[in-house]
């Protein structure tokens, strides 16, 4: 059996890329990931990638009374993050790209790692994770594109996105 490398981002590929980057500092190419992709259970959460769930409905993730608070956390971004105890939900805006999904994913994994180190949730952890993402994102994105990944779109499958 052969596997063809696919160079578009979906939740599983993004999780594997981010996990490899956080653990080793290296970016996997599409050819590196082609045999690691789980075709039978593509929705499994990857611990090293922040256990991020993408594409759940907005009403399942955020109460209407808290929606503005979540949007104000990162007002310039095209994602909402709800960092829970078991996983982090990421909801993308309708016009979000693969780069937006990568930015949100990096914030989620950095927040998860920081929370694990201090063993207690903090309101500042998401902001600290966001700052860390901003400092690492440009070289991360440049290397990702150099490896052949297409970051102009994110194939999340479900189509559950939001618009303000």
């Amino acid at each position: 059996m052969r596997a063809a490398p696919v160079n578009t981002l979906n939740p599983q590929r993004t999780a594997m890329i981010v996990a490899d980057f956080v653990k080793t500092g290296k970016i996997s190419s599409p050819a590196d990931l082609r045999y690691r992709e789980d075709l039978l259970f593509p929705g499994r959460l990857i611990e090293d990638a922040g256990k991020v769930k993408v594409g759940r409905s907005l009403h399942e993730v955020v109460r209407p009374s808290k929606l503005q608070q979540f949007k104000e956390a990162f007002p310039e971004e095209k994602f909402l993050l709800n960092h829970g105890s078991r996983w982090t939900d990421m909801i993308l805006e309708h016009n979000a790209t693969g780069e937006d999904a990568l930015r949100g994913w990096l914030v989620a994994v950095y927040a998860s790692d920081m929370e694990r180190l201090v063993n207690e949730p903090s309101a500042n952890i998401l902001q600290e994770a966001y700052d860390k993402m901003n400092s690492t994102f440009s070289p991360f994105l440049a290397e990702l594109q150099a490896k052949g990944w297409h970051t102009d779109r994110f194939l999340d499958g479900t189509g559950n996105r939001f618009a303000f």
Side-chain angles (χ1 to χ4, degrees):
M1 184 180 207
R2 289 194 161 165
V6 179
N7 56 4
T8 52
L9 296 173
N10 69 8
Q12 186 178 181
R13 288 181 218 120
T14 303
M16 290 189 290
I17 290 167
V18 169
D20 290 348
F21 176 71
V22 171
K23 283 196 307 193
T24 67
K26 296 180 180 169
I27 306 249
S28 300
S29 70
D32 296 335
L33 293 185
R34 68 181 164 187
Y35 291 110
R36 292 176 41 205
E37 197 166 354
D38 188 347
L39 300 176
L40 295 177
F41 303 104
R44 70 182 169 86
L45 297 178
I46 298 175
E47 177 103 23
D48 292 335
K51 295 196 291 187
V52 176
K53 282 189 178 185
V54 180
R56 288 181 57 200
S57 296
L58 185 63
H59 74 275
E60 294 175 344
V61 176
V62 180
R63 288 188 211 125
S65 61
K66 299 278 187 183
L67 183 60
Q68 192 61 31
Q69 176 186 341
F70 279 101
K71 185 61 182 160
E72 288 172 358
F74 311 117
E76 302 299 315
E77 298 295 343
K78 295 182 179 183
F79 61 82
L80 296 177
L81 289 177
N82 185 7
H83 186 65
S85 60
R86 294 183 14 216
W87 65 76
T88 299
D89 281 298
M90 179 168 62
I91 304 171
L92 299 170
E93 279 190 17
H94 183 68
N95 61 348
T97 65
E99 292 178 22
D100 298 313
L102 287 163
R103 290 175 67 84
W105 215 294
L106 282 173
V107 172
V109 73
Y110 289 150
S112 178
D113 286 350
M114 290 175 184
E115 194 171 72
R116 201 172 317 141
L117 290 174
V118 297
N119 289 329
E120 61 184 60
S122 166
N124 294 334
I125 284 183
L126 275 178
Q127 188 58 48
E128 291 172 24
Y130 184 74
D131 294 341
K132 185 173 181 179
M133 178 276 300
N134 275 330
S135 68
T136 61
F137 189 72
S138 292
F140 170 73
L141 183 63
E143 189 174 344
L144 196 71
Q145 291 170 337
K147 292 276 186 171
W149 290 102
H150 292 271
T151 59
D152 57 333
R153 64 181 68 99
F154 184 74
L155 308 174
D156 52 349
T158 63
N160 286 330
R161 294 192 176 200
F162 75 96
F164 268 116

